[in-house]
Amino acid sequence: MYKYDEIDQAIVDERVAQYRDQTRRYLAGELTDEEFRPLRLQNGLYIQRHAPMLRIAVPYGMLSARQLHKLADIAARYDRGYGHFSTRQNLQLNWPKLEDVPDILAELATVQMHAIQTSGNCIRNITTDQFAGIASDEIIDPRAVAEIMRQWSTFHPEFALLPRKFKIAVSGTKQDRAIVQAHDIGLEFYRDDQNKMAIKVWVGGGLGRTPILGSVIREHLEWQHVLTYCEAIIRVYNLHGRRDNAYKARIKILVKALGIDEFRKQVEAEWAYLKDSPNTITEAELQRVAQYFTKMPYDTLPAHDASFDSAIASNPAFAAWVKRSVHAHQQPGYRAVTLSLKPHGRAPGDATSEQMHVVADLAENYSFGELRVSHEQNLILADVKLSDLFSIWEQARAAGLATPNIGLLTDIICCPGGDFCSLANAKSIPIAEAIQQQFDNLDYLHDIGDIELNISGCMNACGHHHIGHIGILGVDKDGSEWYQVTIGGKQGNDASIGTVIGPSFAAEEMPGVVQRLIDVYLQERTEEERFIDTVRRIGVAPFKAHVYAKKEAAHV
Amino acid sequence: MSNLILGTSIVEDEWNLVKLPVLGEETVRKQAGKVVLFKLTGEKTYSEEQIAATVIPATGKILVPLSLWIARRAELESRLTAGELAIWLDTHEVLADLVSAFDDINQLPLIAVHVERFADGRIFSIGNLLRTRHGYKNTLRAFGDVLRDQLFFLKRCGFDSYLIRADRSAEDALASLKDFSQPYQGAVDDKQPVWRRVSRQPASQP
Ligand code: HEM
Ligand code: SF4
C-alpha cells in the first residue's frame, strides 16, 4: 500500500501543528464555538451526545498492521477501548476529549494517518471496493488513482468550504461494490476499445434525506484528466450549489434542478479551460504511485490444498465460516477473508482494542501486513493462503471475529444512531441487536441466504437504509421513536432505492416485522432466488399485505 | 492599527470603502424553519433606491460596489481614469457581470471580494477565475468575515491582500500564510502540482 515520503509526512505534521494551534485558540476563547466549528469538522471532530466524536481517515479502506496496532492503542489510551468502523471505511472514536485531539493526531501522524477532511463541507475520504487489487472480477485496480486523488483533494484550496460535504467513490470491477451511483461523484474505471484505462463518470448521487442515484455525466474520460474534470464539476457546484438551505445543498439537488444535460454543458464549458492544465496526471506520477499497489509477492501454489479440503470435510463450523467469509482471489491458492464485526448482540462495526490487535497480528502473520475496511463495516484480510485459513479461523473465532454471517441477515449495516448521535430520531444499535437475537440460528440464516439489512437512525442515512434489501429508518413521531421499513433497495450496478411498505412500527415490533418479511420471501421464492430478486419479481404488495395483515389481526 | 495585509506585510488601507446604504428594515429570511445564512449566486440583494441614495465621496481612492458602477458609471468614469476607482463584489454576485462591465479589468488597481461568512467558499472559485480565466493582475483583496484560517487557501486561490476582521489580529494571521510548505495540488499561486514541482521518489519501506 501507499507509503508516505517526506512530502506527505510534512503535510500531516504541519496539519497537527495547525490544528493544535486552532484548538489552543478555541480553548483560550480566541475562537467562538461557531468559528471553531468548521475548523474542527474539517478534522473529523463532531460534538455529539456524550462527548466529541473523532473520525479518523482510512483512505480507500486500506490499513497496515502497524496502523491498526496504533489505532488500538489510541482507542485504549484516549477512548474507552473500542472504535467503530463506519460505512465510509473510516474509524470513529466515540469518547475522545477535545483537548486530547491534537495529541491523538500527532500519534496518528507517526503511522502516516490523519483525520483530515473526514467531515465538514469538503471533499471527504475517497472510498472503494474492499477487494480492489485482488477481486476476481477486477478490470482495473483503482487504488493508485484513488491515492492521487486523495493527495489532490487534501487541502484543495478552491474546495475547502463547499456548500455541503462531497463524497467520491471509485470502482474498477465488473460488479460494483463501491456504490458509485450513491456518491456525489462516482468513478467507474474500465478499459476502452483502445485497451486504455478510462473512466465513466457518475455525478449527483447520494442518499440522505433525498435519495437519488447518480447520472452519467461522461461515458469516457481518459484517466489523465480525472483531476481537472472533477475540478470542473466541483467548481460549478461550489458556485451554484444551494447554500441557502442545508437540506438542498448537496450536488444531487443542483444536478436535479438543472437536469443532467444542462449540468453537463456547464461542466464541459468549465473543463474546456481546465483540461490539460498542470493538474493533468502524468504517466510518471501514475507509475510512481502505482508502484505501491503492485501485486503481493505471492508464492506459487496449486489451486487446491489438501489440509484445507480435509478441514472443510471434517469440521462443519469451519465449513460454514468458509462458505460466508472466504472470497475468491485472482491468485491460485490464495483467498480473501472477511472478519465479521457483527457478532450477534453487539453494535455493528465496533471493534475493541484487543480485537484490533488480534486482527493486526493476523494481517502481519498471514496477509502481508495489510488489511482493509469494507463499507459493510467488516475487516478484510485480502491475501491469505488456503493452507492458513484454518488457523486464521481458530484465532479469529477466539477473538469473536468469526461469526459466519457475512452477507447474511445479521451482517447488518447500522449507524451509531440515538445512542451516540445527536441528530438521531431513534436508536439504531438496539434494533440491530434485537434482530440479530431473533435470527440467532445459523442454519436458518444460511437458509435465508444473501440479504442486506441496513439501519439508519434518521433520514441522514448514514446506515445506507435506502439501498438495503430491507431498510430501516428511525423516525420521530411526537417525540417517540418509530421505525419505517423499506424493501427492494440495492447497491451495485443495478442499484435501486427501496420502497416504503407502509406506516412505521414501534421498536419492539421490529424483529417480528423482519420475520414476516422473511416469511413471505421463504414462501414465495423460487430456487436460487435471493430476497431482493423475489421482491423485484413479485413487488412490494405481498410483503406489505402479510406484515400489516398480521399486525391488524394481532390488534383485534 | 491597520488590519490589512498586502503580500506578507501589514499596510494602511488607502481605499475608502463605499457601501450601499441600508434603507428600512432588513428582513430575516427563513427556509425549512432555519434562518438563511447564505445568499444564492445571482440573487439580487439591493434596490434601485439604495443605488440612488449612495453618496460617492468626491475625492480620494474609492472602493465601490459593482452594482454602483453598473448603475452610475457616468459619474465614476473619470475616477477610473484617474486610478482612483476600485470595485468590490459579494460572493453571491456573478463574476461575468464584473468582467463585462469593463473593457479591461486590469484598469482596476484593486478588486475586493466580500465574504459575509467564513464558511462561504465561493470566494475561492471567484479568486481563481479572476486570476486564471480573466487574467486579472492587480491587487485582489478578501474582506468581511476574513479570519486567519482561510488565509492559506485564499493565497493559493490568487488573493494577495486580506482585511482581517476587526476583532482579530492581522499580526497573528500572517503566520497562517505559511501553514503548509509543500501543498499537493497545483493552484493559482503555484500552478504546478507537487509531482511536477519536485522529484518524488518512492519511499523506502519502513
Ligand atoms: C454520530 C456522528 C454522525 C453525524 C452527526 C452524521 C451526520 C450525517 C449527516 C448530517 C448526513 C447527511 C448529509 C447530507 O445529506 O447532506 C450524513 C450522511 C452520511 N453519513 Fe453520517 N453522521 C455521523 C456518523 C456516521 C457514521 C458513523 C457513518 C458510518 C457508519 C456515517 C456515514 C454516513 C454516510 C455514508 C452518509 C451519506 C449518505 C449520503 O450519501 O447522503 N455517518 N451523516
Ligand atoms: S443516520 Fe442520523 S442517527 Fe444515524 S449517524 Fe447519521 S445522523 Fe446520526
Side-chain angles (χ1 to χ4, degrees):
Chain A
M1 62 189 268
Y2 188 71
K3 303 266 180 329
Y4 283 11
D5 63 6
E6 60 282 12
I7 288 167
D8 304 296
Q9 191 63 47
I11 285 182
V12 294
D13 290 344
E14 286 165 343
R15 172 54 168 176
V16 175
Q18 182 193 40
Y19 189 73
R20 196 181 285 288
D21 188 60
Q22 289 169 346
T23 306
R24 179 196 62 74
R25 283 185 274 141
Y26 172 67
L27 293 172
E30 293 169 30
L31 283 172
T32 63
D33 282 340
E34 203 205 335
E35 287 161 4
F36 187 51
R37 207 178 104 87
L39 303 180
R40 64 172 165 76
L41 282 179
Q42 301 267 345
N43 205 49
L45 192 67
Y46 282 88
I47 305 290
Q48 285 304 318
R49 293 217 161 180
H50 312 284
M53 181 178 269
L54 179 65
R55 198 177 281 162
I56 297 166
V58 182
Y60 36 91
M62 297 276 309
L63 277 174
S64 70
R66 184 161 155 257
Q67 290 174 329
L68 187 58
H69 278 306
K70 176 59 89 179
L71 293 173
D73 290 340
I74 288 174
R77 168 137 185 236
Y78 296 99
D79 205 302
R80 299 194 178 169
Y82 70 96
H84 175 78
F85 287 96
S86 83
T87 44
R88 307 213 64 260
Q89 303 181 306
N90 291 324
L91 179 75
Q92 200 150 295
L93 296 177
N94 289 320
W95 313 89
K97 289 209 205 58
L98 190 143
E99 309 79 282
D100 285 341
V101 172
D103 291 337
I104 298 176
L105 297 182
E107 296 231 16
L108 289 173
T110 65
V111 293
Q112 312 191 341
M113 294 189 82
H114 59 74
I116 296 165
Q117 291 168 210
T118 50
S119 62
N121 296 333
C122 49
I123 304 174
R124 303 288 192 85
N125 186 28
I126 293 165
T127 50
T128 191
D129 172 19
Q130 65 266 32
F131 299 117
I134 54 147
S136 50
D137 64 340
E138 183 154 276
I139 305 162
I140 280 170
D141 179 351
R143 290 173 302 168
V145 176
E147 172 59 27
I148 291 172
M149 295 192 78
R150 179 193 75 82
Q151 301 189 11
W152 158 83
S153 62
T154 298
F155 303 126
H156 194 299
E158 189 178 342
F159 308 133
L161 295 164
L162 295 171
R164 202 72 184 81
K165 59 168 127 181
F166 204 89
K167 300 178 179 178
I168 301 176
V170 299
S171 157
T173 48
K174 290 205 191 79
Q175 291 303 318
D176 165 51
R177 283 179 292 268
I179 346 181
V180 292
Q181 295 182 42
H183 285 77
D184 298 283
I185 292 180
L187 302 171
E188 193 180 326
F189 286 74
Y190 66 97
R191 293 216 167 269
D192 64 13
D193 45 22
Q194 317 278 310
N195 201 31
K196 292 210 178 96
M197 177 159 91
I199 305 167
K200 179 171 175 176
V201 185
W202 297 78
V203 72
L207 301 173
R209 160 180 310 258
T210 320
I212 297 179
L213 295 176
S215 311
V216 176
I217 182 164
R218 204 168 226 280
E219 286 286 347
H220 182 266
L221 180 73
E222 295 168 302
W223 61 269
Q224 304 88 297
H225 300 303
V226 66
L227 304 183
T228 56
Y229 199 76
C230 287
E231 283 176 344
I233 292 176
I234 304 174
R235 179 176 289 170
V236 171
Y237 169 58
N238 189 33
L239 287 170
H240 300 289
R242 289 280 305 270
R243 287 175 193 268
D244 59 321
N245 182 337
Y247 299 143
K248 298 198 166 148
R250 295 286 293 270
I251 194 175
K252 61 191 171 188
I253 305 289
L254 180 66
V255 174
K256 193 112 192 139
L258 292 175
I260 183 66
D261 293 328
E262 172 60 25
F263 183 75
R264 179 185 298 115
K265 210 176 94 199
Q266 297 190 11
V267 168
E268 294 279 335
E270 204 54 52
W271 192 48
Y273 292 97
L274 291 167
K275 186 167 184 273
D276 298 321
S277 64
N279 282 340
T280 307
I281 307 170
T282 54
E283 188 72 50
E285 173 64 0
L286 180 66
Q287 290 295 326
R288 178 186 78 85
V289 179
Q291 287 176 62
Y292 296 101
F293 299 101
T294 49
K295 301 286 173 214
M296 291 297 181
Y298 298 116
D299 290 344
T300 309
L301 297 175
H304 292 278
D305 179 85
S307 68
F308 172 73
D309 292 342
S310 75
I312 291 272
S314 63
N315 191 327
F318 176 61
W321 178 75
V322 168
K323 187 168 166 207
R324 298 312 315 183
S325 315
V326 173
H327 319 277
H329 199 288
Q330 292 169 356
Q331 182 70 18
Y334 281 85
R335 294 290 184 273
V337 168
T338 301
L339 299 170
S340 173
L341 297 181
K342 315 289 180 68
H344 294 177
R346 287 264 315 280
D350 277 7
T352 64
S353 290
E354 295 74 42
Q355 286 177 319
M356 290 188 229
H357 284 305
V358 170
V359 176
D361 286 338
L362 288 173
E364 197 82 68
N365 296 334
Y366 302 106
S367 195
F368 301 97
E370 291 184 4
L371 66 141
R372 292 113 184 267
V373 184
S374 72
H375 81 260
E376 288 92 354
Q377 306 177 281
N378 292 311
L379 297 176
I380 285 62
L381 300 174
D383 301 280
V384 302
K385 289 181 190 167
L386 268 177
S387 56
D388 287 334
L389 282 171
F390 191 77
S391 356
I392 291 176
W393 173 65
E394 287 186 310
Q395 294 171 56
R397 196 159 72 137
L401 295 162
T403 314
N405 62 349
I406 302 305
L408 298 180
L409 184 60
T410 56
D411 186 7
I412 295 171
I413 295 182
C414 180
C415 80
D419 294 297
F420 297 102
C421 174
S422 48
L423 301 178
N425 286 328
K427 293 193 184 64
S428 51
I429 294 171
I431 301 298
E433 290 171 348
I435 293 168
Q436 288 172 335
Q437 301 295 5
Q438 168 90 15
F439 292 90
D440 199 25
N441 179 325
L442 280 171
D443 292 334
Y444 186 48
L445 275 181
H446 283 265
D447 180 38
I448 298 167
D450 286 314
I451 184 166
E452 296 174 15
L453 191 155
N454 300 358
I455 309 177
S456 307
C458 77
M459 59 291 189
N460 286 319
C462 302
H464 290 168
H465 65 275
H466 302 292
I467 52 168
H469 303 172
I470 299 177
I472 299 176
L473 164 67
V475 291
D476 173 279
K477 272 204 256 173
D478 308 322
S480 61
E481 302 187 358
W482 290 79
Y483 297 89
Q484 189 183 70
V485 176
T486 51
I487 59 173
K490 189 175 179 307
Q491 57 170 319
N493 305 56
D494 57 343
S496 55
I497 305 270
T499 310
V500 177
I501 62 168
S504 46
F505 305 95
E508 59 276 12
E509 295 177 288
M510 284 314 299
V513 169
V514 175
Q515 182 66 61
R516 276 173 247 131
L517 292 171
I518 297 299
D519 290 344
V520 175
Y521 160 64
L522 293 178
Q523 194 186 317
E524 298 289 333
R525 72 176 166 189
T526 62
E527 215 162 330
E528 300 299 309
E529 212 175 39
R530 296 165 304 171
F531 179 86
I532 179 69
D533 305 320
T534 307
V535 176
R536 284 183 171 184
R537 179 172 55 81
I538 67 176
V540 174
F543 292 90
K544 184 173 172 162
H546 188 56
V547 168
Y548 290 97
K550 281 251 174 93
K551 190 173 148 112
E552 272 148 34
H555 281 266
V556 188
Chain B
M1 189 178 154
S2 168
N3 242 12
L4 180 67
I5 298 174
L6 179 65
T8 53
S9 4
I10 296 173
V11 298
E12 288 305 319
D13 193 354
E14 313 173 315
W15 293 90
N16 190 354
L17 177 69
V18 177
K19 292 199 250 180
L20 301 181
V22 178
L23 304 175
E25 293 277 301
E26 282 203 70
T27 50
V28 175
R29 282 211 304 135
K30 288 199 172 183
Q31 273 234 24
K34 294 198 174 161
V35 177
V36 175
L37 300 176
F38 298 94
K39 300 186 177 79
L40 281 175
T41 302
E43 186 175 329
K44 190 177 170 203
T45 49
Y46 56 85
S47 65
E48 308 312 323
E49 292 75 43
Q50 279 175 291
I51 301 262
T54 306
V55 180
I56 301 174
T59 56
K61 294 184 163 188
I62 50 175
L63 174 56
V64 308
L66 175 61
S67 52
L68 192 75
W69 164 261
I70 293 174
R72 293 171 59 183
R73 184 172 177 150
E75 295 163 65
L76 293 164
E77 209 68 77
S78 63
R79 309 291 288 274
L80 178 66
T81 328
E84 287 182 348
L85 184 95
I87 294 290
W88 71 267
L89 75 162
D90 270 305
T91 50
H92 65 268
E93 289 187 86
V94 176
L95 193 54
D97 293 343
L98 168 66
V99 176
S100 61
F102 291 88
D103 300 331
D104 173 7
I105 53 170
N106 282 312
Q107 288 172 286
L108 293 166
L110 168 72
I111 294 175
V113 186
H114 180 246
V115 59
E116 199 176 341
R117 283 173 191 279
F118 180 93
D120 187 347
R122 284 177 288 199
I123 191 168
F124 302 128
S125 288
I126 292 172
N128 192 315
L129 286 169
L130 272 170
R131 292 295 192 202
T132 57
R133 182 85 33 93
H134 305 298
Y136 180 64
K137 297 193 182 65
N138 303 324
T139 304
L140 183 57
R141 178 192 291 186
F143 74 113
D145 199 12
V146 175
L147 304 178
R148 62 179 284 182
D149 301 289
Q150 289 134 306
L151 252 52
F152 187 77
F153 296 134
L154 285 169
K155 181 184 82 165
R156 296 222 68 210
C157 289
F159 287 83
D160 57 354
S161 180
Y162 324 89
L163 181 62
I164 303 296
R165 211 176 68 192
D167 59 335
R168 295 300 151 85
S169 150
E171 196 78 49
D172 288 352
L174 279 174
S176 288
L177 287 171
K178 295 188 293 227
D179 274 347
F180 297 95
S181 46
Q182 198 66 272
Y184 282 125
Q185 57 298 96
V188 178
D189 63 337
D190 189 342
K191 305 234 173 0
Q192 305 303 318
V194 66
W195 74 81
R196 293 182 197 260
R197 233 182 281 141
V198 296
S199 149
R200 297 186 78 179
Q201 298 305 324
S204 52
Q205 309 281 319

